[in-house]
Amino acid sequence: MTRTSSAPTVTRTSSALLRSPVAALLAVLLAASGVLLGAGGAQAAGYRYWSFWEGDGKSWAYATQGPSLVRPDDGTVQGFRFAVSEDSADADRPRHAPDFGAICADTPAKDGAKRVALVIDPGTAEDAPAGEKPPALRTACAQVAPDASSAEALASVAKPLRYDSSAMICAISGYPKSGCGEQVSGDGSKKDGSGKDGSGKPSAPEASSAPAADDGGSGGGPSAGLLLGIGAVLLLGVAAVFQARRRR
């Protein structure tokens, strides 16, 4: 009788002892995952730069080439927006409709020239470099030679322009006064006022106007390596749970 009555007690005690470390392990794993994910979010950073857009009359699309490479047709609408963003998917669009008819209404067509409607949006005070105030958004109708590039159309109505060594637009109509595609941290402070990341690599390629993410994985979310690490930790935790159950 003694054996029969003590068996449930031993089983319950063993189960309790097993559940306690397993529960503790899962709690630790969840806490570690939260810390890792929080660390990934804290690394979020963006770039302060002029992005280049193409309009279709109703909406804006991020340009796949830089303005020095694009040769727009007559009747084209293009936009430039200054803001802080992480990448092309996160970039702010110009805050004016891409309406060629309205922008170029007072500029009649002329033989031997084309008209390109431009929206130049310097952005908001939140995106401005320290000590600078963005000028007002404006539109212009550039009338240029038929083979002129978008950069040439912009130069005809918005001088002075400033470029870096990779042909990235740094300033339009003198704004901003300094800086070029510099990386800023999640709280808006600059990582490097030179417009380059910690390795000295330019932060923006010529082809797209969009700054490239640096090698440190400072994009908007956790890096692939971080996610893999979290997954590995969780898998180890699950394996430990199953192992503990098999030993009961």
Side-chain angles (χ1 to χ4, degrees):
M1 295 296 291
T2 303
R3 294 179 184 174
T4 302
S5 61
S6 64
T9 302
V10 173
T11 301
R12 284 196 299 271
T13 302
S14 299
S15 298
L17 289 173
L18 284 170
R19 283 197 299 270
S20 178
V22 169
L25 174 61
L26 290 176
V28 171
L29 289 172
L30 288 173
S33 299
V35 170
L36 289 171
L37 287 172
Q43 293 174 354
Y47 296 86
R48 182 182 286 120
Y49 69 103
W50 281 99
S51 56
F52 178 42
W53 300 81
E54 297 177 324
D56 61 3
K58 297 180 180 179
S59 60
W60 293 105
Y62 199 92
T64 58
Q65 292 182 308
S68 63
L69 300 177
V70 176
R71 306 280 172 178
D73 295 328
D74 180 73
T76 297
V77 186
Q78 298 183 325
F80 296 85
R81 171 68 191 267
F82 187 78
V84 173
S85 58
E86 294 173 21
D87 51 36
S88 59
D90 177 63
D92 292 327
R93 291 170 171 76
R95 297 169 297 166
H96 190 286
D99 189 340
F100 177 84
I103 297 172
C104 288
D106 298 329
T107 305
K110 184 172 66 174
D111 291 341
K114 65 181 177 183
R115 293 175 297 168
V116 180
L118 299 173
V119 175
I120 304 168
D121 184 352
T124 66
E126 289 76 12
D127 291 324
E132 295 200 52
K133 179 181 179 180
L137 181 153
R138 71 185 184 96
T139 62
C141 187
Q143 196 160 49
V144 292
D147 63 345
S149 67
S150 299
E152 291 171 324
L154 180 66
S156 71
V157 298
K159 290 181 179 179
L161 303 180
R162 178 166 55 85
Y163 291 86
D164 71 358
S165 59
S166 66
M168 176 182 176
I169 292 181
C170 302
I172 296 176
S173 296
Y175 179 79
K177 295 178 181 178
S178 62
C180 192
E182 65 268 24
Q183 187 176 10
V184 296
S185 66
D187 61 3
S189 61
K190 282 196 280 188
K191 176 181 179 184
D192 187 338
S194 67
K196 298 178 177 162
D197 65 17
S199 66
K201 179 180 64 178
S203 58
E206 176 182 357
S208 66
S209 299
D214 70 357
D215 296 333
S218 59
S223 66
L226 178 61
L227 293 175
L228 287 173
I230 293 173
V233 171
L234 291 176
L235 284 175
L236 287 173
V238 172
V241 171
F242 279 108
Q243 186 68 17
R245 288 180 176 178
R246 289 180 62 186
R247 290 176 178 174
R248 284 194 297 180

